[in-house]
Amino acid sequence: MKSRYGLFSALTAIVLFIVLETFSIVMVVKEGVVQRYKVLGAVRSVESWFWERTSKVSYYFNYKTENERLTAENLQLRQQLSRYAAAQAELDSVVRIVEPMYTFIGATVIRNTVDRQHNFLILDRGSAEGVEAGMGVVTSRGVIGIVGAVSRHYSYVKSLLGTDQSVSAKLAGSGAFGPMVWTGTSPDIAQLSQIPVHIQAAPGDTVLSSGYSTIYPPDIPLGGVVSSTVSQGSSQVITVRLFEDFRSLRNVYVVKNNRKEEIEGLYEQAQ
Amino acid sequence: MNKLNEILFFVMVFILQLVISDYLHLGPWISLSLIPFFIVSISLQRSPQAVMLIAFGLGIGLDILSDGVVGLNAFAAVMAAAPRKFFYRLLVNSDRQDKTEILTPRDAGFAKYLRYLGIITAIYMAAYVLLDCVSFRPAGFMLLKFAASTVASTALCLLPAFSLQHRN
């Protein structure tokens, strides 16, 4: 009788172990972090409120660096604007005005992690400001991530510093492109792969976003080439030092692709 | 220590774990966890099924309340909880009379307790690192992260363990 009870106990323990572990793996695979944000909306809202206040404190100590960065970015944008204004005046006479492909929503980072394998950010803009899941997040110095979930006034962004994130990137000179992923060791370093071996990539060359997706605009500077190695004899893996310092992120832009539905509709038609 | 104080103590340790998870960032090489301390400290009178369920609850609670991926700590906690009894018998007390309910370094002897805690932490970290990084990161990175996290977390778990001992 006792041995039967022991056998039954062992069997239930094994079954329970399998059930709990399977349940855990399913949650991990199904991106539980986004689900949690949706399910625990109220808890997240309280946390977001708290993070917003703590981020203001940390910003106070970094405002000088941030201010200098924004001034430089502003100067660069003004120079670009003056060039575009001149070109636009000429174009207006012959070309009809079309809706721009991308519009940007300014946002402030109130929470940011950089030391995990699945990093994330919380922004102080949500559905009320037009942010939707699937939109890209960028700065003038790089791609930051993709919006995973939104509440009314906050959004959760899956950082580029994550095991499951990649951005289509190209070498500025040759235009050769491939997926760029974070290496997982330092928030500054990523790897651009699938670059043909005949393409020359010298240290210091700039890597840009390719724009071959509906998420990120093209030609955003992402980083500089550090080194390259040949992988499996057929392509190069290029180590890239990212321009953006993820540790001190503050102001970002959420990207809305105004033609996303049209492009995706085209894919569906083709299939 | 009476039952209420004991519960309060463990709640405080769990809050400490939440603070560590959310605000103590040591880089991608080290993950700190107090969950192995909880697993080692669950009453020795509890059945393996109960220990696994408690460990799962702790893990999922930590995943939900901190900034982790839901399921990651739960997976690792159950993995470490399942063989707890086996390692307890192997490393601490091979006779089947458990005189104490909650194990402390004083009850087991420091060396035995450290070995036991170290093994449970190692299993926890192996499961955690494997699920977090497998197929995304090179084996060298995973091994280094496992080793660094096991050593650091074992040392961290000793702090509440000694605190518990002094309270008893």
Side-chain angles (χ1 to χ4, degrees), chain A residues 8-10 12-14 16-17 20-25 27-28 31-33 36 40 43-44 47 50-51 54 111-118 120 161-164 182-187, chain B residues 20-30 48-50 52-53 56 60 62-72 74-80 82 127 131-133 136-138 141 145:
Chain A
F8 176 74
S9 178
T12 54
I14 291 167
L16 183 67
F17 175 77
L20 293 176
E21 293 296 61
T22 308
F23 187 58
S24 302
I25 291 171
M27 281 191 292
V28 171
E31 295 188 79
V33 77
R36 175 191 57 189
L40 291 172
V43 176
R44 293 283 109 172
E47 283 184 331
F50 177 72
W51 291 334
T54 53
R111 180 91 174 119
N112 181 19
T113 67
V114 296
D115 63 337
R116 296 150 198 233
Q117 293 303 303
H118 302 81
F120 74 96
L161 308 186
T163 51
D164 53 350
W182 180 49
T183 58
T185 50
S186 162
Chain B
I20 288 170
S21 296
D22 280 358
Y23 295 102
L24 187 63
H25 305 306
L26 299 175
W29 301 96
I30 296 180
Q49 292 92 325
M52 279 192 281
L53 281 171
F56 179 78
I60 206 89
L62 177 61
D63 287 331
I64 288 172
L65 294 171
S66 75
D67 300 332
V69 175
V70 177
L72 200 54
F75 176 82
V78 174
M79 191 64 83
L131 192 60
D132 199 22
C133 305
F136 294 111
R137 299 287 171 245
F141 172 81
K145 179 167 176 153

Side-chain angles (χ1 to χ4, degrees), chain B residues 34-50:
Chain B
L34 286 166
I35 297 285
F37 163 73
F38 282 99
I39 292 169
V40 165
S41 303
I42 295 170
S43 169
L44 294 166
Q45 315 301 328
R46 301 253 182 224
S47 67
Q49 292 92 325

Side-chain angles (χ1 to χ4, degrees), chain A residues 31-207:
Chain A
E31 295 188 79
V33 77
V34 174
Q35 289 167 352
R36 175 191 57 189
Y37 199 81
K38 288 175 181 168
V39 173
L40 291 172
V43 176
R44 293 283 109 172
S45 291
V46 174
E47 283 184 331
S48 298
W49 181 89
F50 177 72
W51 291 334
E52 196 168 0
R53 265 103 200 125
T54 53
S55 80
K56 279 179 182 165
V57 175
S58 64
Y59 176 62
Y60 176 78
F61 293 103
N62 293 319
Y63 79 96
K64 189 170 179 287
T65 316
E66 186 66 18
N67 203 24
E68 283 167 1
R69 212 186 91 169
L70 286 172
T71 307
E73 186 182 335
N74 200 25
L75 183 68
Q76 188 193 4
L77 291 172
R78 276 180 185 282
Q79 286 167 347
Q80 275 182 6
L81 187 66
S82 64
R83 284 200 296 272
Y84 285 130
Q88 189 70 47
E90 285 179 36
L91 277 172
D92 280 352
S93 59
V94 287
V95 183
R96 69 187 174 87
I97 302 295
V98 291
E99 185 191 26
M101 186 158 174
Y102 298 99
T103 45
F104 298 87
I105 303 164
T108 302
V109 176
I110 60 166
R111 180 91 174 119
N112 181 19
T113 67
V114 296
D115 63 337
R116 296 150 198 233
Q117 293 303 303
H118 302 81
N119 290 296
F120 74 96
L121 303 98
I122 303 291
L123 308 181
D124 68 342
R125 293 285 183 272
S127 57
E129 290 83 18
V131 179
E132 292 169 19
M135 287 180 172
V137 178
V138 300
T139 67
S140 60
R141 304 200 304 174
V143 158
I144 305 302
I146 296 175
V147 176
V150 290
S151 62
R152 186 149 174 75
H153 296 296
Y154 298 99
S155 47
Y156 169 91
V157 178
K158 289 190 277 186
S159 172
L160 180 66
L161 308 186
T163 51
D164 53 350
Q165 295 296 306
S166 77
V167 54
S168 178
K170 65 182 179 186
L171 288 165
S174 63
F177 68 96
M180 191 178 83
V181 296
W182 180 49
T183 58
T185 50
S186 162
D188 306 326
I189 301 294
Q191 280 185 333
L192 173 61
S193 56
Q194 296 178 17
I195 300 297
V197 283
H198 67 272
I199 299 291
Q200 297 283 324
D205 282 359
T206 304
V207 176

Side-chain angles (χ1 to χ4, degrees), chain B residues 1-10 13 37 101-102 104 106 160-161 163-168:
Chain B
M1 190 155 72
N2 66 34
K3 207 75 189 168
L4 183 67
N5 280 344
E6 200 175 286
I7 290 167
L8 276 175
F9 175 77
F10 283 108
V13 176
F37 163 73
E101 197 169 271
I102 296 175
T104 63
R106 185 172 49 205
S163 177
L164 186 67
Q165 176 179 292
H166 288 299
R167 280 162 178 262
N168 280 327

